[in-house]
Amino acid sequence: MSTDILLIPGPIVISKRVQDALGTPSVAHTCPEFVATFSDALKNTRQLFKAGASAQPVVLAGSGTLGWDITASNLICPDEKALVLSTGFFSDSFADCLTAYGAKVNKLDAPLGDVVPLEEVRSALKKDAYKLITITHVDTSTAVLSDVKSICEVVKEVSPETLIVVDAVCSAGCEALEFDAWGIDYALTASQKAVGAPPGLSISMLSQRATHVALQKAEQRMFFASLKRWIPIMQNYENRQASYFATPAVQLVNALKESTGEILEYGLDKRIEKHRKVSEWFKSQLTEAMGLELVSVNDAVSAHGLTAVYVKDPPAAISTLKSKGIVIAGGIHKDIKGEYIRVGHMGESVCNDSLQHLQKCIEALKQVAL
Amino acid sequence: MSTDILLIPGPIVISKRVQDALGTPSVAHTCPEFVATFSDALKNTRQLFKAGASAQPVVLAGSGTLGWDITASNLICPDEKALVLSTGFFSDSFADCLTAYGAKVNKLDAPLGDVVPLEEVRSALKKDAYKLITITHVDTSTAVLSDVKSICEVVKEVSPETLIVVDAVCSAGCEALEFDAWGIDYALTASQKAVGAPPGLSISMLSQRATHVALQKAEQRMFFASLKRWIPIMQNYENRQASYFATPAVQLVNALKESTGEILEYGLDKRIEKHRKVSEWFKSQLTEAMGLELVSVNDAVSAHGLTAVYVKDPPAAISTLKSKGIVIAGGIHKDIKGEYIRVGHMGESVCNDSLQHLQKCIEALKQVAL
């Protein structure tokens, strides 16, 4: 396999410890050893989201996208209204998913590289009754960071009955995220971003209120994504009791236990601070030292797990870096697709100083005519 | 991790080669190396099902169960009729999934341990117009093998417009299965059975006709399971072109390429024959040498990838074998749950003679008062 330095915004570099946990023999999904591993992975996930005992973690075989289906099929009914705050491609796709399931979606589009103004959110919530609101914490297409905490405050003030759904795919593990304290109802992420595991797991967290909604919901047009079926299974596994609805991805769960374990041993707050510092250094190198312009319009809306930056010739930048053994990604926002590059800086590449991944990336970028 | 001999009906023992392919560093899901791997995995999957160029393989992050959702959401509309041939717990669950999505299900229940008589299938198909019929090739709860070929012939004769859906979760890789020759429209399996990879992938195959149905279907109440979204992605990957809808489970796809590669290098027909021989030997040891009774009522309806056998005290048998380092499974059919055990014999445990897994299992079982 490639020995390139992987700096795309997910999948990210996994640590040796995670890789070792992945490359293990199969065991029964019901054996005590695996049940204990799954229990630990669920408990770690709870801590990753800063969620307490009343919250419900759910870890399923699937891509991060499955979290959108879980939202759309468990937390809202056809013809109920959803308010989607869009900061890019992934927010738009979440809206598409909700629409496919029959929800009536009102999408507030932020200006490119920016967030939806809080006053716009407030006025939309005042005008209509929404079953849920979705916030893409970090839109991986633009590297725009949303102020989830402030949005939650507005929702609690204006429309407390609206469920708050946070797409934390590119934020859990690298951005401040306080599930309980901010009053989030459902947060979803994927294993291959700042969580530091390989792709293949949908990871999410339900508040007590969202759990109640999911358990009450008639089971329509869903089965594999049915929380009514999964919640008891997750509760049993967390309580170290084997349980069956569909076979869990055993080795990926092994990897998740280790990757979340690493995060918690490092210290979640310390880790988030480290991502912030490395991101600020990385961005300042691009803007101040190299004179480039970020897609995100100011520091307050700039994500810390990836950087989206305008360059003259993205394909040339990507292939030149590739020739130097560094893999970065192109743009995917429809309006500026061919105008920028994206560099991921999450997990091992950020927190394992000895790797010097971001320093090497900056050195390489400085040698390219950007 | 455990060094027990894993003989449950999935997850099964994976080979060193598959384990090594699994425990690999992350790479970009769009890099040429991985795109080539995914292409090979899809081409191998096509061969595994004996499907030609007009068939469409689909490999998604998910459990085997996701294949039921794919069927229910892409191949049939609410209020259309489905005929389910039930040979146990998993056939029943497939019916539950179809019902959850709004299909009108007529379930023909086979007598315990047996299959639905062909004449019953014929008469049901004559009486009503069905959008699809589901056949559970091997029901993992009873180890009953259905005669897919003969059922396909009846469907083609009586109701050629009915789509034929085969749950091949416990059959692909260990039972004769001829997707094209038998005229199957959709076959689904999971990675952790006779396919020989770790759990976490939903693997399936569409006929040209089923592909057409899926592409025509309005996208309602589904997103992650949408074949309309996935088919172009799978076609691109197979043609060695990166493409994105949701991030594939990179390391699991690496493992799938190797596990299907092993099967094809061994020879698919030879491998199926090997499973038949080992299964017959294993079953004859239990019945003739030890006087036990199988759940499946005769040879013609006995699966070759697992054995379900009545024993006096299943928990004692399971724990005694566990103390000897062999992991087998209990019963899960609602009517006889506490009366039988299940032993899986698929993949590496069957085809790698040097392991002697089944011989060791029989020796251990002979030391238990059954």
Side-chain angles (χ1 to χ4, degrees):
Chain A
M1 298 303 284
S2 169
T3 51
D4 285 337
I5 297 175
L6 185 64
L7 291 176
I8 62 171
I12 67 162
V13 169
I14 57 175
S15 71
K16 184 69 174 43
R17 172 173 162 188
V18 171
Q19 191 180 324
D20 288 346
L22 179 64
T24 44
S26 283
V27 296
H29 50 300
T30 53
C31 75
E33 297 86 343
F34 176 68
V35 172
T37 297
F38 204 167
S39 174
D40 290 345
L42 290 166
K43 284 185 207 303
N44 288 354
T45 299
R46 202 186 283 282
Q47 288 189 59
L48 182 73
F49 286 93
K50 296 203 173 182
S54 68
Q56 178 60 54
V58 176
V59 173
L60 303 186
S63 301
T65 301
L66 184 60
W68 297 343
D69 286 73
I70 293 174
T71 306
S73 57
N74 291 274
L75 302 179
I76 186 166
C77 292
D79 295 325
E80 286 184 330
K81 286 176 184 160
L83 184 64
V84 172
L85 309 187
S86 178
T87 46
F89 174 85
F90 290 94
S91 327
D92 287 348
S93 297
F94 200 166
D96 290 344
C97 176
L98 289 161
T99 303
Y101 277 87
K104 298 291 172 216
V105 172
N106 180 16
K107 184 158 69 76
L108 303 181
D109 290 312
L112 181 63
D114 207 347
V115 295
V116 179
L118 269 184
E119 285 316 305
E120 232 179 275
V121 180
R122 184 189 303 272
S123 103
L125 288 169
K126 277 185 177 164
K127 224 185 285 175
D128 244 326
Y130 290 98
K131 180 62 177 283
L132 59 82
I133 180 173
T134 74
I135 311 162
T136 303
H137 199 170
V138 170
D139 198 297
T140 318
S141 71
T142 52
V144 165
L145 173 73
S146 288
D147 180 357
V148 174
K149 187 184 178 201
S150 298
I151 300 167
C152 286
E153 284 167 3
V154 169
V155 178
K156 300 291 175 199
E157 184 200 321
V158 181
S159 179
E161 66 288 356
T162 298
L163 296 173
I164 301 175
V165 176
V166 176
D167 179 335
V169 163
C170 212
S171 80
C174 66
E175 303 285 356
L177 177 63
E178 311 246 352
F179 189 88
D180 277 2
W182 297 351
I184 298 168
D185 288 295
Y186 184 61
L188 63 103
T189 191
S191 46
Q192 79 277 10
K193 309 271 179 178
V195 174
L201 292 177
S202 154
I203 300 163
S204 59
M205 190 67 61
L206 289 153
S207 70
Q208 208 166 13
R209 182 164 78 150
T211 300
H212 185 75
V213 170
L215 291 176
Q216 294 301 312
K217 190 163 184 303
E219 210 167 47
Q220 279 179 320
R221 318 278 187 268
M222 62 160 162
F223 192 74
F224 183 62
S226 166
L227 290 176
K228 203 183 266 187
R229 294 186 183 256
W230 279 117
I231 286 169
I233 308 290
M234 294 296 141
Q235 289 174 343
N236 286 340
Y237 265 106
E238 194 169 356
N239 293 324
R240 301 206 168 208
Q241 198 186 313
S243 200
Y244 181 78
F245 171 52
T247 307
V250 171
Q251 283 92 337
L252 291 182
V253 172
N254 292 344
L256 177 65
K257 180 200 158 183
E258 297 306 324
S259 75
T260 48
E262 276 180 345
I263 293 170
L264 298 174
E265 287 159 27
Y266 189 103
L268 181 55
D269 291 340
K270 193 178 147 201
R271 201 163 172 104
I272 287 160
E273 180 58 19
K274 178 78 176 176
H275 279 86
R276 194 185 60 74
K277 272 192 188 153
V278 169
S279 175
E280 285 175 0
W281 172 81
F282 189 78
K283 287 174 171 64
S284 74
Q285 287 291 311
L286 296 173
T287 54
E288 290 160 35
M290 300 168 68
L292 297 173
E293 189 194 344
L294 302 181
V295 174
S296 49
V297 294
N298 62 54
D299 287 354
V301 301
S302 289
H304 302 102
L306 85 158
T307 297
V309 60
Y310 291 103
V311 297
K312 275 198 210 83
D313 187 346
I318 292 165
S319 67
T320 308
L321 257 73
K322 170 72 184 165
S323 72
K324 296 172 187 292
I326 297 172
V327 181
I328 61 170
I332 54 169
H333 190 285
K334 60 185 192 308
D335 297 338
I336 50 169
K337 219 171 197 172
E339 300 171 34
Y340 71 112
I341 55 173
R342 294 178 304 147
V343 179
H345 29 83
M346 289 178 260
E348 188 71 357
S349 290
V350 167
C351 299
N352 184 342
D353 290 319
S354 69
L355 294 174
Q356 299 264 313
H357 280 175
L358 281 311
Q359 289 84 344
K360 287 175 186 166
C361 182
I362 286 293
E363 279 163 37
L365 284 168
K366 283 183 175 168
Q367 291 166 32
V368 182
L370 295 171
Chain B
M1 298 303 286
S2 169
T3 52
D4 286 337
I5 297 174
L6 185 64
L7 291 176
I8 63 171
I12 68 163
V13 168
I14 58 174
S15 71
K16 183 69 175 37
R17 172 173 161 189
V18 171
Q19 191 180 320
D20 288 347
L22 179 64
T24 44
S26 283
V27 295
H29 50 297
T30 52
C31 76
E33 297 85 344
F34 176 68
V35 172
T37 297
F38 204 165
S39 174
D40 289 346
L42 290 167
K43 284 184 205 305
N44 287 354
T45 299
R46 202 186 282 282
Q47 288 189 60
L48 182 74
F49 285 92
K50 295 203 175 180
S54 68
Q56 178 60 54
V58 176
V59 173
L60 304 186
S63 301
T65 300
L66 185 60
W68 298 344
D69 285 72
I70 293 173
T71 306
S73 57
N74 291 276
L75 302 179
I76 186 166
C77 293
D79 296 324
E80 287 184 329
K81 287 178 184 157
L83 183 64
V84 172
L85 310 187
S86 177
T87 47
F89 173 85
F90 291 94
S91 327
D92 287 349
S93 298
F94 200 165
D96 290 346
C97 176
L98 289 161
T99 304
Y101 276 88
K104 298 292 173 217
V105 172
N106 180 17
K107 184 158 69 76
L108 303 181
D109 289 312
L112 180 65
D114 207 347
V115 296
V116 179
L118 269 185
E119 285 316 305
E120 234 180 90
V121 179
R122 184 190 302 272
S123 103
L125 288 169
K126 276 185 178 164
K127 225 184 284 175
D128 245 325
Y130 290 99
K131 181 62 177 281
L132 59 81
I133 180 173
T134 74
I135 311 162
T136 304
H137 200 173
V138 170
D139 198 298
T140 318
S141 71
T142 52
V144 165
L145 173 73
S146 289
D147 180 357
V148 174
K149 188 187 177 198
S150 298
I151 300 166
C152 287
E153 285 167 3
V154 169
V155 178
K156 300 290 174 198
E157 184 201 321
V158 183
S159 180
E161 66 286 359
T162 299
L163 296 173
I164 301 175
V165 176
V166 176
D167 180 334
V169 163
C170 212
S171 81
C174 66
E175 303 285 357
L177 177 64
E178 312 247 349
F179 189 87
D180 278 2
W182 298 351
I184 298 168
D185 288 295
Y186 184 61
L188 62 104
T189 191
S191 46
Q192 79 277 10
K193 309 272 179 176
V195 174
L201 293 177
S202 154
I203 301 163
S204 58
M205 189 67 60
L206 290 153
S207 69
Q208 207 166 14
R209 184 164 75 150
T211 301
H212 185 76
V213 170
L215 291 176
Q216 294 302 312
K217 193 166 181 302
E219 211 167 47
Q220 281 179 319
R221 318 276 189 268
M222 62 159 165
F223 192 74
F224 182 61
S226 165
L227 290 176
K228 203 183 267 189
R229 293 187 184 257
W230 279 118
I231 287 169
I233 308 289
M234 294 296 141
Q235 288 174 343
N236 285 341
Y237 265 106
E238 194 170 355
N239 293 325
R240 303 205 167 207
Q241 199 186 312
S243 201
Y244 181 78
F245 171 52
T247 308
V250 171
Q251 283 91 338
L252 291 181
V253 172
N254 292 343
L256 177 65
K257 180 201 158 183
E258 297 306 324
S259 75
T260 49
E262 275 180 344
I263 292 170
L264 299 173
E265 288 160 25
Y266 189 102
L268 181 56
D269 291 338
K270 195 179 146 202
R271 200 162 173 106
I272 287 161
E273 180 58 19
K274 179 78 175 175
H275 279 86
R276 193 184 61 73
K277 272 192 188 151
V278 169
S279 174
E280 285 175 359
W281 172 82
F282 188 78
K283 287 176 170 65
S284 73
Q285 288 290 311
L286 295 172
T287 54
E288 289 161 35
M290 300 169 69
L292 298 172
E293 190 194 343
L294 302 180
V295 173
S296 49
V297 294
N298 62 53
D299 288 353
V301 300
S302 290
H304 301 103
L306 86 158
T307 296
V309 60
Y310 290 105
V311 297
K312 276 198 208 80
D313 187 347
I318 292 166
S319 66
T320 308
L321 257 75
K322 170 74 183 164
S323 72
K324 295 171 188 293
I326 297 172
V327 181
I328 61 170
I332 54 169
H333 190 286
K334 61 185 190 311
D335 297 338
I336 50 168
K337 221 173 197 169
E339 300 171 33
Y340 71 111
I341 55 173
R342 294 177 304 148
V343 180
H345 29 83
M346 288 178 259
E348 188 72 356
S349 289
V350 167
C351 299
N352 183 342
D353 289 318
S354 69
L355 295 174
Q356 298 264 312
H357 280 176
L358 281 311
Q359 290 84 342
K360 287 176 185 164
C361 181
I362 286 292
E363 277 163 37
L365 284 168
K366 283 183 175 168
Q367 291 165 34
V368 183
L370 296 170

